[in-house]
Amino acid sequence: MDRPEQYSAFRFVGEAPATQIVEQDGGRTLVGYAVVWGAVSDLRADGFRHRFNRGSILWAPTVHALWAHSYASPLASTANKSLVIGEDDTGVRVEIKLDDTTDGENTLKRVRSGLVAGMSFGGRRIGFTRAEGNVIDITRFVATEVSVLPNPSMAETVISAGDQAVEKMRAAQARTTKNKLDTIRLAMLRPA
């Protein structure tokens, strides 16, 4: 059996909306982005930098939210609707409804304290195309899990709590827009 390819050890260039804690009606839900479209990873073990674009990820019939890619610590699942996954123009947005198990409580405490800083995802690469330089575009990836981690899989994701989350999300969105504009300007300056 193939070991899932996890993106927890790879930082992506740029900024994106922050992950936040939402507390309403007594529930505890982590909200954030597990994948950001167009972000380019650091150099990977295969010698390439990876990029995911909208439509490149296929989600398994049942996807789990985990603590640090460990199936021994499931936090939520699409099977019981405690994990909601949706794609938008930014990336893959997830909502993890934490129950009051020890794992859920510990995850919430770690996020609130700032000890945990991000999210990741795991699965298996099925197809890719060569882009410029050492960048490859992942064209098909079957994702089986998303994870909450102490070290973020993407620099674009940040977990924070309360009012700080809203401020961090707005600042990250502004940085994302600036990074995209800078990329467009650089492309326009390159000779044809």
Side-chain angles (χ1 to χ4, degrees):
M1 176 181 218
D2 291 334
R3 179 183 165 92
E5 188 167 2
Q6 298 168 346
Y7 281 80
S8 61
F10 306 98
R11 298 186 61 85
F12 286 71
V13 178
E15 297 291 335
T19 301
Q20 62 180 318
I21 296 174
V22 177
E23 295 184 66
Q24 54 192 352
D25 302 327
R28 298 160 321 164
T29 303
L30 299 178
V31 179
Y33 285 87
V35 182
V36 175
W37 306 134
V40 177
S41 73
D42 281 346
L43 195 61
R44 297 193 30 118
D46 64 3
F48 290 96
R49 297 164 53 95
H50 294 187
R51 178 171 46 213
F52 290 84
N53 295 302
R54 192 170 193 168
S56 62
I57 298 177
L58 306 171
W59 293 92
T62 299
V63 178
H64 290 88
L66 307 173
W67 170 256
H69 298 293
S70 173
Y71 280 91
S73 298
L75 301 173
S77 173
T78 55
N80 69 359
K81 298 184 177 140
S82 57
L83 172 62
V84 178
I85 299 171
E87 296 185 3
D88 61 22
D89 289 340
T90 300
V92 177
R93 185 176 185 275
V94 298
E95 294 182 19
I96 303 169
K97 295 175 182 138
L98 297 171
D99 57 16
D100 70 3
T101 62
T102 301
D103 289 331
E105 189 62 31
N106 287 343
T107 299
L108 186 62
K109 286 179 182 177
R110 290 171 178 152
V111 170
R112 278 192 178 139
S113 72
L115 182 62
V116 173
M119 298 186 69
S120 183
F121 62 104
R124 191 172 41 128
R125 181 178 69 190
I126 296 188
F128 64 91
T129 59
R130 187 85 184 254
E132 67 280 349
N134 66 345
V135 175
I136 61 173
D137 287 317
I138 306 299
T139 57
R140 284 287 177 246
F141 186 91
V142 177
T144 56
E145 56 98 349
V146 296
S147 284
V148 178
L149 299 167
N151 37 338
S153 63
M154 296 180 180
E156 294 85 352
T157 63
V158 180
I159 295 178
S160 56
D163 294 336
Q164 292 176 347
V166 175
E167 286 179 35
K168 286 184 178 182
M169 189 178 308
R170 286 184 185 142
Q173 285 172 332
R175 286 189 300 272
T176 299
T177 300
K178 182 186 179 308
N179 288 343
K180 287 179 182 175
L181 290 173
D182 288 347
T183 301
I184 291 168
R185 284 185 195 112
L186 286 172
M188 290 173 63
L189 293 174
R190 289 186 190 129

